[in-house]
Amino acid sequence: MARIKEFDKEEVLDAAIAVFREHGFEGTSTEMLVRAMNIGRQSLYDTFGYKWKLYRLAVERYSAEETRAHIELLRGTPRALDGIRSMMARVVENAGQACLGVNSICEFGQSRPDLTALHHAADLRLKKVAIERVREAQDAGDIAVSLSAEAVADFLFANITGIRIAARGGAGPEQLQSLSGLALRAII
């Protein structure tokens, strides 16, 4: 008689996300996943399929959660510039944890169309909200109107990536805060 699966799929997926964040796809073994997820190897395969499918699900969940968190902060204040500042502060605060989005782009670039499509969808959703808030900040006189709202959003996201990579390379909190501050100064 087959055993009933006794685990929460979302919880074990979160455990897989943690492993992939730290070690990437290639650096993560099935054994590492089984240990972190606290499930049997067969349960991993039965529930999530092969390693690439699990990785893709992890990136999809991680991207959705990160995008949602950024959007909440961007929209979380009446003053648009304060929302942008909040998003940047969150990045600095969490930069010590590896970013699965940035890491997967560094590991695979554009070589995996399914992964590229996930990143593209999340980027479009977040960029749309960021552009809206940048335009609001421009209307309020908080961001220079001489700058393209799209270019400002791209600049901010490039700096977010840079902050996360700098943290991964050992930059301390003061350095990361300085990078964020300089990025914000550049758009005002």
Side-chain angles (χ1 to χ4, degrees), residues 55 59 63 99-112 115-116 118-120 122-123 161 165:
Y55 181 77
V59 171
S63 295
C99 175
L100 184 56
V102 171
N103 290 351
S104 67
I105 291 168
C106 290
E107 189 170 1
F108 293 102
Q110 301 271 319
S111 69
R112 298 297 302 244
L115 198 57
T116 300
L118 286 174
H119 291 300
H120 185 67
D123 290 347
T161 300
I165 291 173

Side-chain angles (χ1 to χ4, degrees), residues 20-172:
F20 286 131
R21 283 175 80 170
E22 190 60 35
H23 302 284
F25 178 77
E26 291 297 332
T28 298
S29 69
T30 302
E31 185 57 35
M32 291 165 75
L33 290 166
V34 166
R35 275 195 314 255
M37 296 166 77
N38 198 28
I39 63 174
R41 185 178 295 262
Q42 193 58 50
S43 291
L44 185 145
Y45 293 132
D46 290 346
T47 304
F48 298 103
Y50 53 100
K51 184 174 135 182
W52 178 256
K53 184 177 176 188
L54 176 60
Y55 181 77
R56 198 179 159 288
L57 287 169
V59 171
E60 183 174 26
R61 179 174 169 88
Y62 180 84
S63 295
E65 289 178 5
E66 281 295 298
T67 299
R68 180 199 46 76
H70 284 315
I71 288 173
E72 282 180 8
L73 289 171
L74 283 168
R75 290 184 171 154
T77 61
R79 186 174 173 212
L81 185 58
D82 290 339
I84 294 167
R85 284 186 174 131
S86 293
M87 178 183 69
M88 296 298 288
R90 178 184 181 272
V91 169
V92 169
E93 183 180 315
N94 296 328
Q97 296 179 316
C99 175
L100 184 56
V102 171
N103 290 351
S104 67
I105 291 168
C106 290
E107 189 170 1
F108 293 102
Q110 301 271 319
S111 69
R112 298 297 302 244
D114 52 344
L115 198 57
T116 300
L118 286 174
H119 291 300
H120 185 67
D123 290 347
L124 285 177
R125 187 167 169 244
L126 181 56
K127 189 174 179 181
K128 179 182 178 211
V129 175
I131 289 168
E132 289 170 6
R133 292 303 276 178
V134 167
R135 287 186 178 136
E136 289 175 39
Q138 287 174 321
D139 292 343
D142 291 332
I143 292 180
V145 293
S146 61
L147 301 172
S148 153
E150 291 83 359
V152 170
D154 287 341
F155 176 77
L156 289 172
F157 296 138
N159 278 276
I160 287 171
T161 300
I163 289 167
R164 288 177 166 165
I165 291 173
R168 194 77 171 144

